[in-house]
Amino acid sequence: MTNPVAMIVGGGSGIGADAARKMSEMGYDVAVFSSSGKGESLGKELGGLGFTGSNLVVADLEAFVAAAMARFGRIDTVINCAGHGPKGPIMEISDEDWHLGMDYYFMNIVRITRLVLPIMQSQGKGSIVNISTFAVFEPDPDFPTSAVFRASLASYTKLFSTKYAPEGIRMNNILPGFINSLPEKQDRLDRIPAGRYADVRELTETVAFMASDASSYVTGQNLRVDGGLTVSV
């Protein structure tokens, strides 16, 4: 039997890289994409496909999808991770940086989704998992462009999942808090009821669940994995 295939966009480090390792452990063939070259190395290390390019460049994503299809002949799940967009005091962010933030945190999902949707439709199923942020519903001034455009992503995800659920195609967002690849700051630790940052594998276990058929009846959701950081119901 053909193994299921997971594409990880932004898989050079952090949650994306560990998600690639986790999906490989679960028996998926993996295709790993990043701008740094680390994703290319990791994909090959895991016995799959590695690719270097930018998720801001449509041609790079087109080439990645084409390479994955040439290698594996199918795409079962896509896991989307983003880079780090512009930050700063909200009234000091330029028009250019707002547009860049939209590219990093919203259009990156739109671009790859356009490319893989016809493939998933032909297969009759597919799962797209987007790494978002705890700040979607409780905006944090430390992450202004992320909070604004990932709130837009939450709406996009609901619209997409509603339309394509009858075809067996799902989209969900994971909303992580702070993870231990970041430097610890006491003021942040004080906000987390769990009293610590997350281990990256605590995030990727959830990502893998949402990517796989184990969550086949879950779509259109924004799932917090934040140690209780956010307080809204």
Side-chain angles (χ1 to χ4, degrees):
M1 294 180 62
T2 301
N3 291 336
V5 176
M7 293 178 63
I8 299 89
V9 180
S13 60
I15 297 171
D18 199 62
R21 295 186 183 96
K22 175 65 181 178
M23 299 307 289
S24 179
E25 291 166 12
M26 291 170 60
Y28 282 70
D29 287 325
V30 295
V32 188
F33 176 102
S34 78
S35 60
S36 65
K38 294 179 182 178
E40 183 169 353
S41 297
L42 178 60
K44 293 175 181 177
E45 174 190 326
L46 297 173
L49 172 69
F51 197 96
T52 298
S54 170
N55 65 3
L56 306 182
V57 178
V58 173
D60 288 355
L61 292 171
E62 289 173 338
F64 179 47
V65 171
M69 288 299 291
R71 173 75 178 269
F72 304 116
R74 63 183 298 113
I75 297 169
D76 295 276
T77 188
V78 177
I79 298 167
N80 288 304
C81 303
H84 297 287
K87 301 178 183 179
I90 190 167
M91 296 309 296
E92 296 178 17
I93 299 171
S94 66
D95 284 10
E96 181 182 15
D97 278 349
W98 278 115
H99 283 285
L100 184 58
M102 182 173 70
D103 270 348
Y104 268 105
Y105 296 125
F106 179 66
M107 290 305 299
N108 66 315
I109 308 300
V110 175
R111 293 183 187 104
I112 192 66
T113 299
R114 285 178 180 146
L115 297 173
V116 301
L117 176 61
I119 297 166
M120 291 180 172
Q121 287 175 310
S122 70
Q123 296 168 177
K125 63 181 296 188
S127 176
I128 300 171
V129 179
N130 307 315
I131 308 304
S132 183
T133 176
F134 74 91
V136 166
F137 301 119
E138 298 182 29
D140 189 315
D142 286 344
F143 312 103
T145 60
S146 173
V148 167
F149 291 112
R150 282 167 162 168
S152 299
L153 176 60
S155 294
Y156 176 84
T157 296
K158 181 59 70 175
L159 291 167
F160 177 90
S161 62
T162 299
K163 181 170 178 61
Y164 294 104
E167 299 182 53
I169 301 167
R170 303 182 295 119
M171 181 182 285
N172 292 285
N173 300 325
I174 305 297
L175 278 52
F178 299 110
I179 64 173
N180 61 4
S181 60
L182 300 170
E184 288 192 356
K185 296 183 178 181
Q186 191 59 48
D187 63 325
R188 291 179 177 173
L189 283 171
D190 291 343
R191 295 163 57 191
I192 305 170
R196 61 178 178 84
Y197 284 17
D199 183 86
V200 69
R201 182 49 63 103
E202 293 178 293
L203 271 297
T204 54
E205 291 284 355
T206 307
V207 171
F209 168 71
M210 297 301 281
S212 73
D213 286 344
S215 62
S216 58
Y217 202 56
V218 182
T219 193
Q221 301 305 305
N222 291 276
L223 181 60
R224 296 176 175 92
V225 188
D226 65 4
L229 174 62
T230 51
V231 298
S232 60
V233 175

